[in-house]
Amino acid sequence: MKVLHVNTHMNIGGIGRYILSLCNAMKKMGIDCSVASSGGNLEDELKENGIKHKYIGIKTKFEFGPKVFSAVSPLANIIMEEGVNLVHAHTRVSQVVSFLASRKAEAHYVSTCHGFFKPKLSRKLFDTWGERVVAISEPVKAHLERDFGINSERIGLIHNGVDMDKFSKNFSNDEISKLKRSITLKEGPVVGTIGRLSSVKGQKFLIEAMKNVISKNNLAQCLIIGEGPEEDELKKLAVDLGIENNVKFAGPIYKDANMYLACMDVFVLPSIKEGLGLALLEAMAAARPCVASDIGGIRDIVKDRDNGMLVPVADISAMADSISKLLSDKAAAMRLGQNGREFVKENFSITVMAEKMSRLYREVVSGKQ
């Protein structure tokens, strides 16, 4: 079977890593996966892993804009030239172009819903979700049923998966110290987060919480990994709070996320909205003690005070208290970290994800809905 994944771009981020991990896992199962997008900084990693990338110019936020419609024929040509059996789209923009191109090329088409969308009238009237749509969590599945009227039998619930071999790797103290020096981190505990710097990811609440954490431990540092439209505002917030010397913005990482996680004493996901949270799964797989917002698909992952700590959304005081607790109580931090790793291993492995996705693909191609 030949599967073509279509995404708006292949820059670092949850969806890009999702596609890369899924393609790698499915290669081992004999499924030929390739990617079409407007390119990005994950292209080299696709090439290193032997995954073919085709360029289509769909880097736009307008799902019914001119770039989308002008990309239909080029994408349809790729589908036909490559002998693609099934097209798999991952964003609203890529859904529209994939829906139209797959019809033109007479190929099967599915999509993944990675989060929550505004139920615009156009999205309800123009159903581009595909023959089947994958929901990455129970809340996302409920969102598709409630807000878009999609029949539950058409939805496949397939949680994100993590490469446990990669994120269970242990790094030496020397390797971690070298990495810290390379990104100008000082000695002292590190509280970190990874994600696009956007308002929905809630990094501003983490920075505000760190003001309190640092008041109790002046060696504590905050490591923020990612890029996005909120970067300047977040940096200004750190300055306004007088903690800019304790907050490090490391920019995006294109690979070796496991090594960056290894230098964190606590991982925080402060999102105000989240479909599931791939970065959180990876942090748990790396046995990092985690603090996360009690919202959306995060509840499918974190069992409060068992394999992590949940805090109310945007509750700066609760977040600061949880972080400080884990920094001061090493035994509790280790217990949560190990429990988190075991939980992800048992429930969110990339192998299980790929097996479920392969089954869904075969049902679609064979006509068994």
Side-chain angles (χ1 to χ4, degrees):
M1 183 189 301
K2 287 192 174 183
V3 176
L4 177 66
H5 291 271
V6 184
N7 199 39
T8 311
H9 56 74
M10 282 302 289
N11 286 320
I12 190 71
I15 296 178
R17 297 203 313 278
Y18 172 99
I19 293 171
L20 181 61
S21 297
L22 183 57
C23 288
N24 281 331
M26 297 200 114
K27 270 176 58 180
K28 298 174 183 177
M29 301 169 64
I31 296 176
D32 184 354
C33 291
S34 55
V35 177
S37 80
S38 57
N41 45 40
L42 284 174
E43 281 186 77
D44 288 344
E45 200 162 348
L46 287 171
K47 186 175 180 180
E48 288 171 12
N49 287 275
I51 300 165
K52 190 181 298 184
H53 178 267
K54 295 286 186 176
Y55 177 84
I56 52 170
I58 57 169
K59 193 171 183 181
T60 175
K61 294 181 179 179
F62 303 106
E63 60 202 71
F64 297 109
K67 278 191 175 183
V68 170
F69 293 106
S70 65
V72 172
S73 289
L75 182 60
N77 290 337
I78 292 171
I79 295 168
M80 290 183 285
E81 289 168 4
E82 297 293 323
V84 171
N85 306 104
L86 183 143
V87 179
H88 187 163
H90 296 272
T91 61
R92 280 299 300 171
V93 166
S94 62
Q95 283 174 11
V96 176
V97 70
S98 296
F99 172 81
L100 296 171
S102 61
R103 283 199 162 189
K104 187 172 184 177
E106 299 183 347
H108 293 283
Y109 162 58
V110 302
S111 69
T112 291
C113 183
H114 290 272
F116 302 95
F117 296 91
K118 293 179 180 178
K120 295 180 180 178
L121 182 61
S122 60
R123 293 171 178 172
K124 292 183 177 181
L125 294 176
F126 190 25
D127 183 340
T128 61
W129 295 104
E131 296 166 68
R132 297 286 296 278
V133 53
V134 174
I136 63 169
S137 68
E138 286 283 3
V140 169
K141 182 175 184 289
H143 164 62
L144 289 169
E145 293 174 346
R146 179 185 64 249
D147 296 327
F148 294 98
I150 299 176
N151 190 298
S152 62
E153 293 181 0
R154 189 175 158 202
I155 304 170
L157 177 61
I158 304 177
H159 292 115
N160 288 352
V162 176
D163 183 344
M164 290 302 301
D165 290 339
K166 176 179 179 180
F167 287 94
S168 295
K169 181 180 177 181
N170 292 316
F171 294 91
S172 68
N173 290 335
D174 285 345
E175 287 176 309
I176 293 172
S177 294
K178 184 178 179 181
L179 175 62
K180 284 183 174 181
R181 289 194 299 272
S182 74
I183 54 178
T184 66
L185 283 174
K186 303 169 186 175
E187 290 303 315
V190 176
V191 179
T193 191
I194 300 175
R196 179 168 168 74
L197 305 185
S198 62
S199 58
V200 74
K201 292 297 183 181
Q203 288 99 346
K204 71 174 184 178
F205 304 117
L206 172 58
I207 293 173
E208 290 173 352
M210 285 303 297
K211 172 76 173 179
N212 186 302
V213 173
I214 293 165
S215 71
K216 296 176 182 177
N217 184 340
N218 61 10
L219 294 179
Q221 305 163 88
C222 183
L223 174 62
I224 298 176
I225 296 172
E227 60 184 351
E230 293 287 305
E231 184 171 347
D232 289 343
E233 284 298 314
L234 293 172
K235 287 179 176 178
K236 181 178 182 300
L237 176 60
V239 172
D240 290 344
L241 293 173
I243 59 172
E244 68 272 19
N245 292 332
N246 296 71
V247 180
K248 173 64 183 177
F249 290 85
I253 51 174
Y254 308 133
K255 54 177 66 178
D256 299 329
N258 54 337
M259 192 167 183
Y260 284 84
L261 285 167
C263 77
M264 298 179 189
D265 296 278
V266 176
F267 178 87
V268 182
L269 191 69
S271 305
I272 61 173
K273 189 181 289 186
E274 193 70 60
L276 188 66
L278 182 58
L280 177 62
L281 288 173
E282 291 174 346
M284 292 172 72
R288 299 299 89 195
C290 295
V291 177
S293 300
D294 188 5
I295 192 74
I298 292 174
R299 296 190 186 113
D300 288 348
I301 305 173
V302 178
K303 311 306 174 188
D304 191 34
R305 301 184 188 277
D306 175 46
N307 62 9
M309 299 183 80
L310 290 173
V311 295
V313 176
D315 191 328
I316 296 163
S317 177
M319 190 181 300
D321 288 346
S322 295
I323 293 169
S324 294
K325 163 73 173 173
L326 292 175
L327 290 180
S328 62
D329 190 339
K330 301 298 183 184
M334 182 174 291
R335 177 179 63 82
L336 294 184
Q338 290 300 325
N339 287 352
R341 172 178 282 177
E342 288 304 311
F343 181 79
V344 171
K345 182 179 180 181
E346 292 173 10
N347 298 279
F348 293 94
S349 78
I350 189 65
T351 302
V352 171
M353 173 188 170
E355 288 172 350
K356 289 181 178 180
M357 195 71 75
S358 172
R359 195 176 308 127
L360 183 143
Y361 286 169
R362 296 186 193 284
E363 287 173 358
V364 170
V365 171
S366 67
K368 295 178 182 178
Q369 297 297 315

